[in-house]
């Protein structure tokens, strides 16, 4: 899956001068998976879903290129949620590495959706 690879490289280029806070992935500390068809209201997720009229960006870029993601982690650029007072513009960008099986899915959109 190479659709987003160039976008991912551009994101890395834009952020290369910044120093993020890095948090390793820990399955034991992960949030439980939501039930199927569970709806989250904007008032309950203010930061995650852009609870104000300020600019926000939210995207997920998918790749199967191991060189673009070397480990599972969360990088925070700027202030932590606990440090924010009031509404601020923000972005949430997820770069998701999927297995090689997705490359073989071809035009099977259901297989692609399940992998992502």
């Amino acid at each position: 899956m190479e659709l987003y690879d160039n976008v991912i490289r551009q994101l890395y280029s834009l952020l290369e001068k910044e120093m993020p806070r890095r948090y390793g992935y820990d399955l034991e500390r992960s949030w439980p998976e939501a039930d199927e068809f569970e709806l989250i209201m904007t008032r309950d997720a203010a930061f995650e879903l852009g609870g104000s009229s300020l600019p926000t960006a939210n995207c997920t870029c998918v790749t199967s290129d191991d060189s673009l993601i070397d480990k599972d982690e969360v990088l925070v650029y700027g202030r932590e949620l606990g440090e924010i007072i009031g509404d601020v513009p923000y972005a949430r960008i997820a770069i998701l590495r999927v297995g090689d099986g997705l490359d073989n899915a071809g035009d099977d959109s259901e297989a692609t959706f399940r992998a992502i």
Side-chain angles (χ1 to χ4, degrees):
M1 165 144 292
E2 299 176 4
L3 180 63
Y4 296 102
D5 288 1
N6 192 43
V7 173
I8 293 169
R9 287 185 189 94
Q10 289 176 18
L11 286 167
Y12 286 154
S13 177
L14 289 169
L15 295 170
E16 70 184 351
K17 295 179 184 176
E18 303 295 324
M19 294 299 298
R21 295 177 191 171
R22 296 177 175 270
Y23 300 95
Y25 174 72
D26 181 356
L27 180 60
E28 298 297 321
R29 297 185 66 201
S30 299
W31 288 356
E33 187 173 325
D35 291 333
E36 190 173 344
F37 304 113
E38 186 172 340
L39 181 64
I40 300 172
M41 303 301 289
T42 301
R43 69 176 182 270
D44 297 327
F47 291 118
E48 290 81 2
L49 299 177
S52 72
S53 61
L54 295 173
T56 63
N58 183 353
C59 71
T60 301
C61 299
V62 181
T63 184
S64 58
D65 185 342
D66 291 340
S67 71
L68 293 176
I69 302 174
D70 61 346
K71 60 184 167 184
D72 295 335
E73 64 182 341
V74 174
L75 283 71
V76 176
Y77 293 85
R79 294 178 283 172
E80 294 277 2
L81 291 178
E83 300 168 348
I84 296 172
I85 299 172
D87 290 336
V88 296
Y90 77 97
R92 187 209 54 87
I93 301 168
I95 302 174
L96 178 65
R97 182 180 57 210
V98 296
D100 292 331
L102 188 57
D103 289 330
N104 299 325
D107 292 332
D108 185 353
S109 59
E110 183 66 25
T112 302
F113 176 78
R114 285 185 188 168
I116 294 171

